[in-house]
Amino acid sequence: MPFNKLLPAVQAGKVDIAMSGITATAEREALVTFAQPYMISGQAILVRSEDIGSFAQPQIIYYMKTTIGVERGSIAETIAQRMCQAATVVPYDSIASATKALRSGSVRCVLGDAPVVWRKGAKYEARGLTTIPRLLTRERLAWAVRKGDTQMLNSANAAIRQWQGDGSLHAILSEFMPRYQVLSQMAR
């Protein structure tokens, strides 16, 4: 399911819970209820290796005249549209499509959730892509449930507490996110 369809699917009762690196924001909290955050993350920037010097300070993206690839419906799209006034923001259906556009030169960088962007950076490092090693933002990632579904919310929160307590959450995040240790240190 495309990312921009997740919260509407939760609202409509098509799915019980959305678990996809969703940033808990006030705007989204008007649509769904978020479980307790399972991690603190942020937005990261993926660039071609030869461009890393232009993005040494990630906040420079707010002032650059550049092209930014983002996933449609994501917080990255919202941030880029609101904060990067000199840039052209190009929405894609997925981070994979945005990354392909970066590799082909259609965009100069990709902005997205740090865990996803870091995974893409690790995957394409040998092909000339790299992730800027500093977060642009600091955000809470959480699972989303339908408003009023206290049973699902309580179950989600209980699972997160259990996994935090027994180390399972750390193990899962470390397994599926390259450089999770670095990210967790950066987000503190």
Side-chain angles (χ1 to χ4, degrees), residues 74-121:
S74 68
I75 291 300
E77 181 180 24
T78 302
I79 289 170
Q81 288 175 341
R82 289 182 185 168
M83 303 298 292
C84 304
Q85 297 299 310
T88 300
V89 179
V90 184
Y92 292 91
D93 288 333
S94 67
I95 285 289
S97 296
T99 302
K100 185 176 179 180
L102 175 63
R103 291 180 65 212
S104 74
S106 298
V107 297
R108 185 147 182 235
C109 66
V110 172
L111 180 64
D113 288 328
V116 177
V117 169
W118 282 36
R119 190 169 55 247
K120 291 296 182 189

